[in-house]
Structures are given as structure tokens and as C-alpha cells.
Amino acid sequence: MGTKGKVIKCKAAIAWEAGKPLSIEEVEVAPPKAHEVRVQIIAAGLCRSDTHVINPKFEGAFLPVILGHEGAGIVESVGPGVTNVKPGDKVIPLYVPHCRKCKFCQSPLTNFCTKFSEHKNPIIEQELMDDKTSRFTCKGKSIYHFLGISAFSQYTVVKDINLAKIDDDANLKRVCLIGCGFSTGYGAAINDAKVTPGSTCAVFGLGGVGLSAVIGCKTAGASRIIAVDINSDKFAKAKALGATDCLNPRELNKPVQDVIVEMTNGGVDFAIDCAGGSEVMKATVDCTTVGWGSCTFVGVNVNDKGLTISPVELILGRTLRGSSFGGWDVDTVPKLVSDYKNGKFNLEALVTHTLPFEKINEALDLLKQGKSIRTILIY
């Protein structure tokens, strides 16, 4: 391509400061350096994690920044040493790298990588490239990357270990959701909770991640899936995707966990928290059965104090675990894309809005107001 080795000028949405709308600006995107890839983003989804960083309550954010971590695109050019992709390949950038060399990458027990786990707060991880510089410049100022991806730019630069090469005929306007939301929820049920056939499940939070967890529970063969959200408008979608019961905690006369325990004769086998926050975390634990109740935590609530738990609750046989990106990595994501193409699950059901990239602030408003599950931005 004629742009190889040259700076590309394009449009990007920049967060200059917390609590303010994103600003569409012309940015300069530098060529990729060693083991880096420049990608033309074709479509991106909006995830709630993107909003955490621009929340005034969020601590430790790097600003100004180009957000976005759920996208799909086409390789424009590659830097020296890149062997896993070539120009023209369709790719999904992943915020979870896979170096294949560290103790985590070599273990079947996790999808973590040393390159991802160096910070206590992964949401502010990978804000610069490995040489501690940015590939983005706007108005003479260096702009931070976000989670190593920065999908809210028409072109971005990503490390080769953060890229999953996918089928040439993949629909990028749908499989971009595999970059975060779908994979996170679906994998939390399938890979991390390991939901079993005939089991009972509860899923807290019915955004894109939670609904994907519902799909995962159904795919795994759960006999009963109780979906919980404070927005009853989401219940019809949840039932269409496999939920058998829906509960709104604000419409109950007792704690939702007590209602679930009564409904299931002692509690569910598996509970998955896709909302976050101490109240939801406590309900997730309390709604599971003693003996073997499994609690999987996916959701994050900014600056929440977290879970306080008694040893007795664990001694009685419950297990707690966390889930990051649903246990997937750059080697397993291509199989998810193939499963979607083969009809194993329905990504269309998660898409409520499609907007041009320039209307990103409108998309953010829809998300904050609870009116969208996933908005796809088209570039």
C-alpha cells in the first residue's frame, strides 16, 4: 500500500479530559515499529469499560487518550519482525496479549500474559507501546493508547501479540463484538464457570456482557437461567436468548438473593456477576447453593469497596473466581469467529444500534441511559 512507512492522518475520538464529551479530531498515526501492526478499523463496539476512564471518579487515568477496545479491522502495514499477520489480513485486536513465552502463556490454566498483569489496574494497562512512546499525535501533543488498542481511531497501531487473525470472509461489523463484550460473557460461562448441563444459573447485569453470559449458560445446557437487572426493558431480550426467569431487584419486597434461593430450593449451582459493585457481588455469593455453589465475577464498578465475605460462606462449599476476557486468547478467538459463521450463536441479537463513527457521543449517551445493549460504530 502507498501508506506503508508513512504517517497517516485520520479521524479519531479523543478524550481530552474526564467528564467531557469525546472530541473528533484529525490525528497523526505513526508507522508501526518492530513487532507492531498498523490496523485500519472498520467497525467498533462501545463497551462500558470505555466510560470508566472518563468518569471523574476514576483514579489513575491517562489523559488525553483514544479509547475503544472492541473493534475489528484490516492490517494496513506491519513493522519489522511481524510474522503472524500481513497487510490485507482481517484481524481483531485484543486487550489481552499473548506472548507465548511467559509462565502464564505457557499454562493451560489462564489466558493471562505477563505483559497484561504488570499493573494492579488492567483498565489503565498498555497506555503506551513497549518503547514507552505513543503512535498518536494530535495538535503537536502525544495522545495515550487505551488497553493497547484505541479502536476509536480510523487507524491504530497494535502490538503483534495483541492481534488475532480471522477468516477473510468474516463480517467485521459483527465479529468486532468478539473483541470484548461477547467473548467476556460467553467465556465466563463456558470456560471459567464451566456451567454444566442441567444446572441452574443466575446472571446479574444484562448489558452486552451479561446477555452473552446468558447465551453461554444456554449453550452449556443449563436447565434454568435466572436473569437479574434493574432495567426491566432488557428482560424480553434476555428471554429470547435463553433466560427462563427475569428479576428486577427494585420490584421485589426482599433481597433478590433470597428470592433466587426460594425459587431454586436452596440456591443456584452457578452465579455470574456481570454488573459489579459490592451489593451485586454479595447477592452473587448469597444466591448460590451451599456444597458446590460457583460464583464468577466479571463486572467492575469504578472505585467500589468490593466484597466482604465470611469464611463460613466458603467453608460451606462455595467457590469464587474471576474471569478476564472469558478465558480466550489470540489462538482461540479465531475459533469463536468460525463458530459465529457456523451459526453456533447469534451476535445480531446484541446489536441494538448502528451509527457512523462521528456520532460516538450519541452512542455513549445511549449506553449511559441504558437504551442500548451494543452500538456498532461504522468507520
Side-chain angles (χ1 to χ4, degrees), residues 78-128:
V78 301
V82 175
T83 58
N84 58 326
V85 295
K86 64 185 185 304
D89 284 348
K90 288 187 176 180
V91 291
I92 297 178
L94 306 179
Y95 65 87
V96 178
H98 193 59
C99 74
R100 295 188 167 83
K101 297 172 185 172
C102 71
K103 67 177 183 180
F104 297 121
C105 286
Q106 293 184 352
S107 167
L109 301 176
T110 183
N111 64 337
F112 254 49
C113 174
T114 304
K115 298 279 188 182
F116 183 66
S117 56
E118 290 163 346
H119 288 205
K120 290 181 181 177
N121 187 343
I123 291 181
I124 55 171
E125 177 67 64
Q126 305 176 92
E127 75 285 356
L128 294 170

mmCIF file of all heavy atoms in Angstrom, residues 78-128:
data_model
loop_
_atom_site.group_PDB
_atom_site.id
_atom_site.type_symbol
_atom_site.label_atom_id
_atom_site.label_comp_id
_atom_site.label_asym_id
_atom_site.label_seq_id
_atom_site.Cartn_x
_atom_site.Cartn_y
_atom_site.Cartn_z
ATOM 1 N N VAL A 78 2.856 -3.632 8.489
ATOM 2 C CA VAL A 78 3.472 -4.296 9.646
ATOM 3 C C VAL A 78 4.900 -3.782 9.835
ATOM 4 O O VAL A 78 5.572 -3.394 8.874
ATOM 5 C CB VAL A 78 3.478 -5.834 9.499
ATOM 6 C CG1 VAL A 78 2.066 -6.369 9.336
ATOM 7 C CG2 VAL A 78 4.346 -6.282 8.332
ATOM 8 N N GLY A 79 5.350 -3.798 11.086
ATOM 9 C CA GLY A 79 6.715 -3.402 11.391
ATOM 10 C C GLY A 79 7.671 -4.587 11.280
ATOM 11 O O GLY A 79 7.246 -5.729 11.055
ATOM 12 N N PRO A 80 8.956 -4.338 11.453
ATOM 13 C CA PRO A 80 9.956 -5.416 11.377
ATOM 14 C C PRO A 80 9.664 -6.523 12.387
ATOM 15 O O PRO A 80 9.237 -6.260 13.515
ATOM 16 C CB PRO A 80 11.262 -4.695 11.724
ATOM 17 C CG PRO A 80 11.015 -3.241 11.441
ATOM 18 C CD PRO A 80 9.563 -3.019 11.717
ATOM 19 N N GLY A 81 9.861 -7.757 11.962
ATOM 20 C CA GLY A 81 9.725 -8.899 12.865
ATOM 21 C C GLY A 81 8.334 -9.472 13.003
ATOM 22 O O GLY A 81 8.141 -10.483 13.682
ATOM 23 N N VAL A 82 7.342 -8.861 12.350
ATOM 24 C CA VAL A 82 5.969 -9.372 12.450
ATOM 25 C C VAL A 82 5.784 -10.534 11.475
ATOM 26 O O VAL A 82 6.027 -10.390 10.276
ATOM 27 C CB VAL A 82 4.941 -8.261 12.147
ATOM 28 C CG1 VAL A 82 3.521 -8.839 12.124
ATOM 29 C CG2 VAL A 82 5.039 -7.142 13.170
ATOM 30 N N THR A 83 5.356 -11.674 11.993
ATOM 31 C CA THR A 83 5.178 -12.869 11.150
ATOM 32 C C THR A 83 3.774 -13.449 11.203
ATOM 33 O O THR A 83 3.415 -14.284 10.375
ATOM 34 C CB THR A 83 6.172 -13.978 11.572
ATOM 35 O OG1 THR A 83 5.956 -14.285 12.958
ATOM 36 C CG2 THR A 83 7.617 -13.522 11.381
ATOM 37 N N ASN A 84 2.958 -13.007 12.175
ATOM 38 C CA ASN A 84 1.645 -13.655 12.359
ATOM 39 C C ASN A 84 0.548 -13.063 11.493
ATOM 40 O O ASN A 84 -0.495 -13.671 11.298
ATOM 41 C CB ASN A 84 1.234 -13.621 13.838
ATOM 42 C CG ASN A 84 1.164 -12.214 14.408
ATOM 43 O OD1 ASN A 84 1.940 -11.338 14.019
ATOM 44 N ND2 ASN A 84 0.250 -11.981 15.344
ATOM 45 N N VAL A 85 0.761 -11.834 10.971
ATOM 46 C CA VAL A 85 -0.222 -11.222 10.077
ATOM 47 C C VAL A 85 0.517 -10.496 8.956
ATOM 48 O O VAL A 85 1.710 -10.189 9.075
ATOM 49 C CB VAL A 85 -1.150 -10.222 10.816
ATOM 50 C CG1 VAL A 85 -2.017 -10.928 11.836
ATOM 51 C CG2 VAL A 85 -0.343 -9.100 11.465
ATOM 52 N N LYS A 86 -0.240 -10.181 7.890
ATOM 53 C CA LYS A 86 0.330 -9.444 6.755
ATOM 54 C C LYS A 86 -0.689 -8.416 6.278
ATOM 55 O O LYS A 86 -1.886 -8.517 6.602
ATOM 56 C CB LYS A 86 0.693 -10.410 5.624
ATOM 57 C CG LYS A 86 -0.498 -11.140 5.021
ATOM 58 C CD LYS A 86 -0.063 -12.158 3.990
ATOM 59 C CE LYS A 86 -1.257 -12.811 3.280
ATOM 60 N NZ LYS A 86 -2.202 -13.451 4.209
ATOM 61 N N PRO A 87 -0.260 -7.409 5.505
ATOM 62 C CA PRO A 87 -1.208 -6.415 5.011
ATOM 63 C C PRO A 87 -2.380 -7.070 4.274
ATOM 64 O O PRO A 87 -2.193 -8.015 3.503
ATOM 65 C CB PRO A 87 -0.352 -5.567 4.059
ATOM 66 C CG PRO A 87 1.023 -5.657 4.632
ATOM 67 C CD PRO A 87 1.139 -7.071 5.141
ATOM 68 N N GLY A 88 -3.597 -6.574 4.569
ATOM 69 C CA GLY A 88 -4.805 -7.125 3.951
ATOM 70 C C GLY A 88 -5.524 -8.146 4.811
ATOM 71 O O GLY A 88 -6.695 -8.448 4.567
ATOM 72 N N ASP A 89 -4.850 -8.687 5.831
ATOM 73 C CA ASP A 89 -5.499 -9.664 6.724
ATOM 74 C C ASP A 89 -6.580 -8.986 7.562
ATOM 75 O O ASP A 89 -6.420 -7.846 8.015
ATOM 76 C CB ASP A 89 -4.484 -10.290 7.684
ATOM 77 C CG ASP A 89 -3.606 -11.338 7.025
ATOM 78 O OD1 ASP A 89 -3.920 -11.752 5.890
ATOM 79 O OD2 ASP A 89 -2.595 -11.739 7.655
ATOM 80 N N LYS A 90 -7.674 -9.698 7.796
ATOM 81 C CA LYS A 90 -8.688 -9.248 8.746
ATOM 82 C C LYS A 90 -8.260 -9.675 10.154
ATOM 83 O O LYS A 90 -7.796 -10.810 10.355
ATOM 84 C CB LYS A 90 -10.063 -9.832 8.409
ATOM 85 C CG LYS A 90 -10.692 -9.207 7.161
ATOM 86 C CD LYS A 90 -12.125 -9.686 6.941
ATOM 87 C CE LYS A 90 -12.762 -8.967 5.755
ATOM 88 N NZ LYS A 90 -14.150 -9.411 5.527
ATOM 89 N N VAL A 91 -8.411 -8.765 11.100
ATOM 90 C CA VAL A 91 -7.927 -9.027 12.460
ATOM 91 C C VAL A 91 -8.897 -8.470 13.501
ATOM 92 O O VAL A 91 -9.665 -7.545 13.229
ATOM 93 C CB VAL A 91 -6.529 -8.400 12.694
ATOM 94 C CG1 VAL A 91 -5.455 -9.115 11.897
ATOM 95 C CG2 VAL A 91 -6.534 -6.905 12.375
ATOM 96 N N ILE A 92 -8.819 -9.050 14.702
ATOM 97 C CA ILE A 92 -9.476 -8.494 15.884
ATOM 98 C C ILE A 92 -8.368 -8.182 16.892
ATOM 99 O O ILE A 92 -7.659 -9.089 17.332
ATOM 100 C CB ILE A 92 -10.484 -9.481 16.502
ATOM 101 C CG1 ILE A 92 -11.614 -9.797 15.522
ATOM 102 C CG2 ILE A 92 -11.059 -8.900 17.796
ATOM 103 C CD1 ILE A 92 -12.617 -10.813 16.043
ATOM 104 N N PRO A 93 -8.187 -6.905 17.239
ATOM 105 C CA PRO A 93 -7.212 -6.573 18.289
ATOM 106 C C PRO A 93 -7.767 -6.981 19.654
ATOM 107 O O PRO A 93 -8.955 -6.794 19.920
ATOM 108 C CB PRO A 93 -7.082 -5.039 18.200
ATOM 109 C CG PRO A 93 -7.833 -4.628 16.969
ATOM 110 C CD PRO A 93 -8.835 -5.707 16.690
ATOM 111 N N LEU A 94 -6.912 -7.523 20.504
ATOM 112 C CA LEU A 94 -7.339 -7.978 21.827
ATOM 113 C C LEU A 94 -6.561 -7.257 22.915
ATOM 114 O O LEU A 94 -5.346 -7.089 22.804
ATOM 115 C CB LEU A 94 -7.116 -9.491 21.971
ATOM 116 C CG LEU A 94 -7.744 -10.381 20.895
ATOM 117 C CD1 LEU A 94 -7.412 -11.837 21.178
ATOM 118 C CD2 LEU A 94 -9.242 -10.183 20.829
ATOM 119 N N TYR A 95 -7.257 -6.851 23.972
ATOM 120 C CA TYR A 95 -6.557 -6.175 25.060
ATOM 121 C C TYR A 95 -5.747 -7.152 25.913
ATOM 122 O O TYR A 95 -4.896 -6.734 26.704
ATOM 123 C CB TYR A 95 -7.532 -5.360 25.914
ATOM 124 C CG TYR A 95 -8.564 -6.155 26.676
ATOM 125 C CD1 TYR A 95 -8.295 -6.674 27.933
ATOM 126 C CD2 TYR A 95 -9.840 -6.374 26.140
ATOM 127 C CE1 TYR A 95 -9.246 -7.387 28.642
ATOM 128 C CE2 TYR A 95 -10.794 -7.077 26.837
ATOM 129 C CZ TYR A 95 -10.489 -7.584 28.077
ATOM 130 O OH TYR A 95 -11.441 -8.300 28.775
ATOM 131 N N VAL A 96 -6.010 -8.447 25.765
ATOM 132 C CA VAL A 96 -5.210 -9.458 26.462
ATOM 133 C C VAL A 96 -4.135 -9.951 25.495
ATOM 134 O O VAL A 96 -4.438 -10.647 24.531
ATOM 135 C CB VAL A 96 -6.082 -10.645 26.925
ATOM 136 C CG1 VAL A 96 -5.223 -11.699 27.600
ATOM 137 C CG2 VAL A 96 -7.171 -10.162 27.877
ATOM 138 N N PRO A 97 -2.867 -9.582 25.714
ATOM 139 C CA PRO A 97 -1.812 -10.043 24.809
ATOM 140 C C PRO A 97 -1.504 -11.520 25.021
ATOM 141 O O PRO A 97 -1.993 -12.143 25.975
ATOM 142 C CB PRO A 97 -0.610 -9.176 25.197
ATOM 143 C CG PRO A 97 -0.887 -8.699 26.584
ATOM 144 C CD PRO A 97 -2.371 -8.731 26.795
ATOM 145 N N HIS A 98 -0.714 -12.082 24.123
ATOM 146 C CA HIS A 98 -0.348 -13.499 24.224
ATOM 147 C C HIS A 98 1.071 -13.653 23.679
ATOM 148 O O HIS A 98 1.277 -13.906 22.496
ATOM 149 C CB HIS A 98 -1.345 -14.338 23.419
ATOM 150 C CG HIS A 98 -1.265 -15.809 23.697
ATOM 151 N ND1 HIS A 98 -1.452 -16.345 24.957
ATOM 152 C CD2 HIS A 98 -1.012 -16.869 22.899
ATOM 153 C CE1 HIS A 98 -1.332 -17.657 24.905
ATOM 154 N NE2 HIS A 98 -1.052 -17.998 23.667
ATOM 155 N N CYS A 99 2.057 -13.492 24.590
ATOM 156 C CA CYS A 99 3.459 -13.506 24.146
ATOM 157 C C CYS A 99 3.984 -14.905 23.862
ATOM 158 O O CYS A 99 4.995 -15.075 23.196
ATOM 159 C CB CYS A 99 4.337 -12.818 25.196
ATOM 160 S SG CYS A 99 4.622 -13.808 26.692
ATOM 161 N N ARG A 100 3.265 -15.902 24.390
ATOM 162 C CA ARG A 100 3.610 -17.316 24.208
ATOM 163 C C ARG A 100 4.890 -17.743 24.946
ATOM 164 O O ARG A 100 5.272 -18.898 24.894
ATOM 165 C CB ARG A 100 3.760 -17.694 22.726
ATOM 166 C CG ARG A 100 2.482 -17.591 21.940
ATOM 167 C CD ARG A 100 2.623 -18.161 20.528
ATOM 168 N NE ARG A 100 1.327 -18.320 19.905
ATOM 169 C CZ ARG A 100 0.673 -17.346 19.307
ATOM 170 N NH1 ARG A 100 1.203 -16.148 19.268
ATOM 171 N NH2 ARG A 100 -0.501 -17.563 18.766
ATOM 172 N N LYS A 101 5.515 -16.833 25.657
ATOM 173 C CA LYS A 101 6.798 -17.160 26.299
ATOM 174 C C LYS A 101 6.713 -17.179 27.823
ATOM 175 O O LYS A 101 7.474 -17.903 28.468
ATOM 176 C CB LYS A 101 7.857 -16.135 25.880
ATOM 177 C CG LYS A 101 8.161 -16.137 24.392
ATOM 178 C CD LYS A 101 9.066 -14.959 24.038
ATOM 179 C CE LYS A 101 9.270 -14.881 22.517
ATOM 180 N NZ LYS A 101 9.988 -13.640 22.135
ATOM 181 N N CYS A 102 5.848 -16.367 28.419
ATOM 182 C CA CYS A 102 5.827 -16.232 29.877
ATOM 183 C C CYS A 102 5.148 -17.432 30.536
ATOM 184 O O CYS A 102 4.534 -18.275 29.872
ATOM 185 C CB CYS A 102 5.132 -14.926 30.275
ATOM 186 S SG CYS A 102 3.337 -14.922 29.998
ATOM 187 N N LYS A 103 5.217 -17.479 31.863
ATOM 188 C CA LYS A 103 4.657 -18.621 32.600
ATOM 189 C C LYS A 103 3.147 -18.707 32.438
ATOM 190 O O LYS A 103 2.570 -19.796 32.468
ATOM 191 C CB LYS A 103 5.030 -18.548 34.079
ATOM 192 C CG LYS A 103 4.401 -17.385 34.848
ATOM 193 C CD LYS A 103 4.782 -17.441 36.327
ATOM 194 C CE LYS A 103 4.099 -16.326 37.105
ATOM 195 N NZ LYS A 103 4.455 -16.373 38.551
ATOM 196 N N PHE A 104 2.483 -17.551 32.262
ATOM 197 C CA PHE A 104 1.031 -17.559 32.085
ATOM 198 C C PHE A 104 0.656 -18.101 30.708
ATOM 199 O O PHE A 104 -0.227 -18.956 30.578
ATOM 200 C CB PHE A 104 0.464 -16.150 32.266
ATOM 201 C CG PHE A 104 0.671 -15.579 33.637
ATOM 202 C CD1 PHE A 104 1.365 -14.393 33.811
ATOM 203 C CD2 PHE A 104 0.184 -16.225 34.757
ATOM 204 C CE1 PHE A 104 1.562 -13.863 35.073
ATOM 205 C CE2 PHE A 104 0.367 -15.706 36.029
ATOM 206 C CZ PHE A 104 1.066 -14.514 36.186
ATOM 207 N N CYS A 105 1.313 -17.606 29.676
ATOM 208 C CA CYS A 105 1.000 -18.061 28.311
ATOM 209 C C CYS A 105 1.286 -19.556 28.136
ATOM 210 O O CYS A 105 0.637 -20.223 27.328
ATOM 211 C CB CYS A 105 1.795 -17.262 27.283
ATOM 212 S SG CYS A 105 1.196 -15.565 27.026
ATOM 213 N N GLN A 106 2.227 -20.077 28.885
ATOM 214 C CA GLN A 106 2.572 -21.487 28.755
ATOM 215 C C GLN A 106 1.722 -22.388 29.648
ATOM 216 O O GLN A 106 1.859 -23.614 29.606
ATOM 217 C CB GLN A 106 4.061 -21.686 29.060
ATOM 218 C CG GLN A 106 4.948 -21.039 28.003
ATOM 219 C CD GLN A 106 6.428 -21.285 28.214
ATOM 220 O OE1 GLN A 106 6.833 -21.817 29.243
ATOM 221 N NE2 GLN A 106 7.236 -20.913 27.241
ATOM 222 N N SER A 107 0.824 -21.772 30.426
ATOM 223 C CA SER A 107 -0.052 -22.556 31.301
ATOM 224 C C SER A 107 -1.435 -22.682 30.693
ATOM 225 O O SER A 107 -1.978 -21.710 30.173
ATOM 226 C CB SER A 107 -0.167 -21.877 32.670
ATOM 227 O OG SER A 107 -1.226 -22.458 33.418
ATOM 228 N N PRO A 108 -2.045 -23.873 30.771
ATOM 229 C CA PRO A 108 -3.422 -24.044 30.291
ATOM 230 C C PRO A 108 -4.456 -23.498 31.271
ATOM 231 O O PRO A 108 -5.649 -23.524 30.989
ATOM 232 C CB PRO A 108 -3.559 -25.565 30.160
ATOM 233 C CG PRO A 108 -2.623 -26.112 31.201
ATOM 234 C CD PRO A 108 -1.471 -25.149 31.269
ATOM 235 N N LEU A 109 -4.011 -22.995 32.420
ATOM 236 C CA LEU A 109 -4.927 -22.578 33.476
ATOM 237 C C LEU A 109 -5.433 -21.150 33.315
ATOM 238 O O LEU A 109 -6.361 -20.743 34.015
ATOM 239 C CB LEU A 109 -4.235 -22.710 34.845
ATOM 240 C CG LEU A 109 -3.749 -24.107 35.224
ATOM 241 C CD1 LEU A 109 -3.007 -24.073 36.546
ATOM 242 C CD2 LEU A 109 -4.922 -25.078 35.290
ATOM 243 N N THR A 110 -4.816 -20.370 32.418
ATOM 244 C CA THR A 110 -5.185 -18.953 32.326
ATOM 245 C C THR A 110 -4.971 -18.423 30.913
ATOM 246 O O THR A 110 -4.211 -19.012 30.130
ATOM 247 C CB THR A 110 -4.348 -18.117 33.320
ATOM 248 O OG1 THR A 110 -4.784 -16.746 33.264
ATOM 249 C CG2 THR A 110 -2.862 -18.161 32.981
ATOM 250 N N ASN A 111 -5.633 -17.319 30.601
ATOM 251 C CA ASN A 111 -5.372 -16.598 29.352
ATOM 252 C C ASN A 111 -4.564 -15.339 29.635
ATOM 253 O O ASN A 111 -4.416 -14.482 28.764
ATOM 254 C CB ASN A 111 -6.693 -16.225 28.653
ATOM 255 C CG ASN A 111 -7.538 -15.251 29.471
ATOM 256 O OD1 ASN A 111 -7.396 -15.154 30.691
ATOM 257 N ND2 ASN A 111 -8.429 -14.540 28.814
ATOM 258 N N PHE A 112 -4.062 -15.212 30.858
ATOM 259 C CA PHE A 112 -3.269 -14.042 31.210
ATOM 260 C C PHE A 112 -1.903 -14.097 30.536
ATOM 261 O O PHE A 112 -1.458 -15.136 30.059
ATOM 262 C CB PHE A 112 -3.106 -13.951 32.732
ATOM 263 C CG PHE A 112 -3.948 -12.877 33.343
ATOM 264 C CD1 PHE A 112 -5.282 -12.780 33.030
ATOM 265 C CD2 PHE A 112 -3.408 -11.947 34.221
ATOM 266 C CE1 PHE A 112 -6.077 -11.789 33.573
ATOM 267 C CE2 PHE A 112 -4.195 -10.952 34.779
ATOM 268 C CZ PHE A 112 -5.528 -10.874 34.456
ATOM 269 N N CYS A 113 -1.230 -12.963 30.528
ATOM 270 C CA CYS A 113 0.118 -12.839 29.985
ATOM 271 C C CYS A 113 0.854 -11.852 30.872
ATOM 272 O O CYS A 113 0.252 -10.901 31.392
ATOM 273 C CB CYS A 113 0.054 -12.321 28.541
ATOM 274 S SG CYS A 113 1.658 -11.947 27.789
ATOM 275 N N THR A 114 2.134 -12.061 31.082
ATOM 276 C CA THR A 114 2.919 -11.139 31.907
ATOM 277 C C THR A 114 2.784 -9.708 31.414
ATOM 278 O O THR A 114 2.750 -8.761 32.191
ATOM 279 C CB THR A 114 4.407 -11.553 31.891
ATOM 280 O OG1 THR A 114 4.508 -12.899 32.331
ATOM 281 C CG2 THR A 114 5.230 -10.662 32.794
ATOM 282 N N LYS A 115 2.639 -9.543 30.100
ATOM 283 C CA LYS A 115 2.543 -8.205 29.509
ATOM 284 C C LYS A 115 1.251 -7.497 29.940
ATOM 285 O O LYS A 115 1.137 -6.287 29.823
ATOM 286 C CB LYS A 115 2.554 -8.299 27.974
ATOM 287 C CG LYS A 115 3.823 -8.897 27.400
ATOM 288 C CD LYS A 115 4.929 -7.867 27.318
ATOM 289 C CE LYS A 115 6.131 -8.403 26.560
ATOM 290 N NZ LYS A 115 7.229 -7.408 26.522
ATOM 291 N N PHE A 116 0.280 -8.273 30.422
ATOM 292 C CA PHE A 116 -1.009 -7.708 30.818
ATOM 293 C C PHE A 116 -1.120 -7.536 32.324
ATOM 294 O O PHE A 116 -1.865 -6.695 32.799
ATOM 295 C CB PHE A 116 -2.147 -8.603 30.328
ATOM 296 C CG PHE A 116 -3.534 -8.076 30.612
ATOM 297 C CD1 PHE A 116 -3.985 -6.914 30.008
ATOM 298 C CD2 PHE A 116 -4.387 -8.734 31.482
ATOM 299 C CE1 PHE A 116 -5.259 -6.422 30.254
ATOM 300 C CE2 PHE A 116 -5.667 -8.247 31.738
ATOM 301 C CZ PHE A 116 -6.098 -7.092 31.121
ATOM 302 N N SER A 117 -0.393 -8.327 33.067
ATOM 303 C CA SER A 117 -0.620 -8.407 34.516
ATOM 304 C C SER A 117 0.382 -7.591 35.322
ATOM 305 O O SER A 117 0.523 -7.770 36.516
ATOM 306 C CB SER A 117 -0.562 -9.871 34.961
ATOM 307 O OG SER A 117 0.674 -10.451 34.587
ATOM 308 N N GLU A 118 1.094 -6.656 34.666
ATOM 309 C CA GLU A 118 2.109 -5.881 35.384
ATOM 310 C C GLU A 118 1.489 -4.783 36.245
ATOM 311 O O GLU A 118 2.078 -4.327 37.204
ATOM 312 C CB GLU A 118 3.085 -5.256 34.367
ATOM 313 C CG GLU A 118 3.966 -6.314 33.692
ATOM 314 C CD GLU A 118 4.626 -5.803 32.414
ATOM 315 O OE1 GLU A 118 4.208 -4.746 31.917
ATOM 316 O OE2 GLU A 118 5.544 -6.471 31.927
ATOM 317 N N HIS A 119 0.268 -4.344 35.895
ATOM 318 C CA HIS A 119 -0.373 -3.260 36.641
ATOM 319 C C HIS A 119 -1.453 -3.819 37.562
ATOM 320 O O HIS A 119 -2.063 -4.837 37.272
ATOM 321 C CB HIS A 119 -1.033 -2.271 35.679
ATOM 322 C CG HIS A 119 -0.042 -1.431 34.928
ATOM 323 N ND1 HIS A 119 -0.361 -0.203 34.430
ATOM 324 C CD2 HIS A 119 1.254 -1.639 34.600
ATOM 325 C CE1 HIS A 119 0.696 0.315 33.815
ATOM 326 N NE2 HIS A 119 1.676 -0.554 33.896
ATOM 327 N N LYS A 120 -1.701 -3.122 38.663
ATOM 328 C CA LYS A 120 -2.780 -3.537 39.569
ATOM 329 C C LYS A 120 -4.147 -3.262 38.951
ATOM 330 O O LYS A 120 -5.112 -3.931 39.253
ATOM 331 C CB LYS A 120 -2.652 -2.797 40.907
ATOM 332 C CG LYS A 120 -1.453 -3.251 41.739
ATOM 333 C CD LYS A 120 -1.382 -2.498 43.056
ATOM 334 C CE LYS A 120 -0.172 -2.954 43.867
ATOM 335 N NZ LYS A 120 -0.029 -2.186 45.120
ATOM 336 N N ASN A 121 -4.221 -2.246 38.093
ATOM 337 C CA ASN A 121 -5.495 -1.911 37.446
ATOM 338 C C ASN A 121 -5.361 -2.106 35.944
ATOM 339 O O ASN A 121 -4.795 -1.259 35.248
ATOM 340 C CB ASN A 121 -5.894 -0.466 37.749
ATOM 341 C CG ASN A 121 -7.291 -0.143 37.244
ATOM 342 O OD1 ASN A 121 -7.834 -0.874 36.417
ATOM 343 N ND2 ASN A 121 -7.862 0.935 37.741
ATOM 344 N N PRO A 122 -5.864 -3.237 35.419
ATOM 345 C CA PRO A 122 -5.672 -3.526 33.995
ATOM 346 C C PRO A 122 -6.351 -2.528 33.062
ATOM 347 O O PRO A 122 -6.004 -2.458 31.881
ATOM 348 C CB PRO A 122 -6.271 -4.929 33.829
ATOM 349 C CG PRO A 122 -7.168 -5.116 35.000
ATOM 350 C CD PRO A 122 -6.584 -4.310 36.107
ATOM 351 N N ILE A 123 -7.320 -1.738 33.578
ATOM 352 C CA ILE A 123 -8.002 -0.777 32.711
ATOM 353 C C ILE A 123 -7.047 0.330 32.259
ATOM 354 O O ILE A 123 -7.252 0.965 31.236
ATOM 355 C CB ILE A 123 -9.247 -0.190 33.419
ATOM 356 C CG1 ILE A 123 -10.319 -1.276 33.555
ATOM 357 C CG2 ILE A 123 -9.828 0.987 32.665
ATOM 358 C CD1 ILE A 123 -11.588 -0.815 34.209
ATOM 359 N N ILE A 124 -5.966 0.574 33.027
ATOM 360 C CA ILE A 124 -5.001 1.577 32.595
ATOM 361 C C ILE A 124 -3.699 0.912 32.129
ATOM 362 O O ILE A 124 -2.649 1.518 32.106
ATOM 363 C CB ILE A 124 -4.725 2.621 33.701
ATOM 364 C CG1 ILE A 124 -4.274 1.937 35.000
ATOM 365 C CG2 ILE A 124 -5.945 3.483 33.940
ATOM 366 C CD1 ILE A 124 -3.787 2.919 36.044
ATOM 367 N N GLU A 125 -3.814 -0.338 31.726
ATOM 368 C CA GLU A 125 -2.672 -1.084 31.191
ATOM 369 C C GLU A 125 -2.466 -0.714 29.720
ATOM 370 O O GLU A 125 -3.392 -0.307 29.029
ATOM 371 C CB GLU A 125 -2.979 -2.588 31.334
ATOM 372 C CG GLU A 125 -1.946 -3.536 30.779
ATOM 373 C CD GLU A 125 -0.659 -3.479 31.557
ATOM 374 O OE1 GLU A 125 -0.633 -3.831 32.743
ATOM 375 O OE2 GLU A 125 0.332 -3.082 30.947
ATOM 376 N N GLN A 126 -1.262 -0.851 29.255
ATOM 377 C CA GLN A 126 -0.919 -0.724 27.836
ATOM 378 C C GLN A 126 -1.270 0.655 27.267
ATOM 379 O O GLN A 126 -1.794 0.797 26.167
ATOM 380 C CB GLN A 126 -1.604 -1.828 27.008
ATOM 381 C CG GLN A 126 -1.285 -3.234 27.513
ATOM 382 C CD GLN A 126 -2.031 -4.316 26.755
ATOM 383 O OE1 GLN A 126 -1.518 -4.849 25.786
ATOM 384 N NE2 GLN A 126 -3.250 -4.629 27.174
ATOM 385 N N GLU A 127 -0.976 1.691 28.055
ATOM 386 C CA GLU A 127 -1.285 3.056 27.629
ATOM 387 C C GLU A 127 -0.235 3.604 26.655
ATOM 388 O O GLU A 127 -0.446 4.623 26.001
ATOM 389 C CB GLU A 127 -1.436 3.987 28.838
ATOM 390 C CG GLU A 127 -0.141 4.398 29.515
ATOM 391 C CD GLU A 127 0.501 3.318 30.379
ATOM 392 O OE1 GLU A 127 -0.086 2.215 30.539
ATOM 393 O OE2 GLU A 127 1.586 3.571 30.919
ATOM 394 N N LEU A 128 0.921 2.926 26.596
ATOM 395 C CA LEU A 128 1.978 3.266 25.646
ATOM 396 C C LEU A 128 2.491 1.982 25.003
ATOM 397 O O LEU A 128 2.223 0.880 25.489
ATOM 398 C CB LEU A 128 3.133 3.979 26.355
ATOM 399 C CG LEU A 128 2.822 5.374 26.942
ATOM 400 C CD1 LEU A 128 3.976 5.848 27.824
ATOM 401 C CD2 LEU A 128 2.549 6.383 25.833
#
